[in-house]
């Protein structure tokens, strides 16, 4: 029986990147470090004992790595909370979003922009998305080009300036260009 697609793809020329994920078997925690140190102390040569300054250096380095890991986790959580708070506060605001199309090789390219009022926010995925009134597409936060109508300043001038609210943007709601609070 022949083995097809040994590379894991239909295209043998496609480059794939595989990254090992962190787990308990490939990550050194403070607990596993202390177990290694205890084993090393138990099995050391009594005629040539471990240098205490070397042991202190190792313990200091491990403490620094643990502190940096903790700080990184805290910064990631703080950043996620800031992003969530920011996008949730955008509900009801007029915004300009990027309109993209799939180009060659599946890459998204900017083809224009849209102006509309944010109707809802979805916080369930890995990054928040939002919807504009009258549009059923979920836009990632990275597609937000500006608060208000900034269609004249988008990229190469191909902005459509399309008003998807179906009317005048100066109708008294958040679409008059003035900053309003919720």
């Amino acid at each position: 029986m022949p083995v097809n697609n040994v590379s894991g793809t239909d295209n043998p020329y496609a480059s794939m990147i595989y990254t090992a994920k962190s787990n308990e078997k490939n990550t050194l925690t403070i607990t596993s470090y202390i177990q290694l140190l205890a084993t090393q102390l138990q099995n050391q040569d009594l005629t040539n004992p471990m240098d205490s300054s070397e042991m202190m250096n190792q313990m200091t380095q491990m403490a620094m790595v643990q502190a940096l890991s903790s700080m990184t986790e805290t910064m990631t959580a703080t950043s996620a909370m800031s992003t969530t708070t920011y996008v949730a506060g955008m509900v009801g605001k007029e915004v300009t979003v990027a309109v993209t199309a799939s180009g060659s090789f599946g890459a998204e390219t900017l083809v224009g922009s849209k102006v509309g009022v944010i109707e809802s926010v979805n916080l369930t995925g890995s990054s928040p998305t939002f919807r504009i009134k009258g549009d059923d597409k979920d836009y990632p936060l990275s597609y937000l080009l500006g608060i208000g109508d900034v269609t004249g300043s988008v990229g190469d001038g191909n902005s459509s300036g399309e008003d998807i609210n179906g009317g005048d943007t100066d109708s008294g709601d958040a679409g008059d260009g003035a900053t309003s609070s919720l």
Side-chain angles (χ1 to χ4, degrees), residues 79-180:
S79 176
M81 183 58 73
S82 278
T83 301
T84 300
T85 304
Y86 174 74
V87 75
M90 296 297 295
V91 174
K93 305 280 185 179
E94 181 184 55
V95 296
T96 304
V97 295
V99 176
T100 61
S102 291
S104 58
F105 305 111
E108 295 287 319
T109 57
L110 180 67
V111 294
S113 64
K114 258 184 200 180
V115 177
V117 175
I118 294 182
E119 178 178 55
S120 65
V121 174
N122 182 356
L123 303 173
T124 59
S126 60
S127 63
T129 59
F130 61 91
R131 282 196 179 176
I132 296 176
K133 283 184 184 176
D135 191 353
D136 62 348
K137 181 179 178 182
D138 285 329
Y139 293 96
L141 191 55
S142 61
Y143 280 37
L144 183 66
L145 298 175
I147 313 289
D149 185 356
V150 295
T151 54
S153 13
V154 175
D156 59 359
N158 280 344
S159 60
S160 66
E162 175 185 358
D163 177 18
I164 62 169
N165 293 324
D168 184 21
T169 58
D170 257 358
S171 62
D173 57 343
D176 62 355
T179 307
S180 63

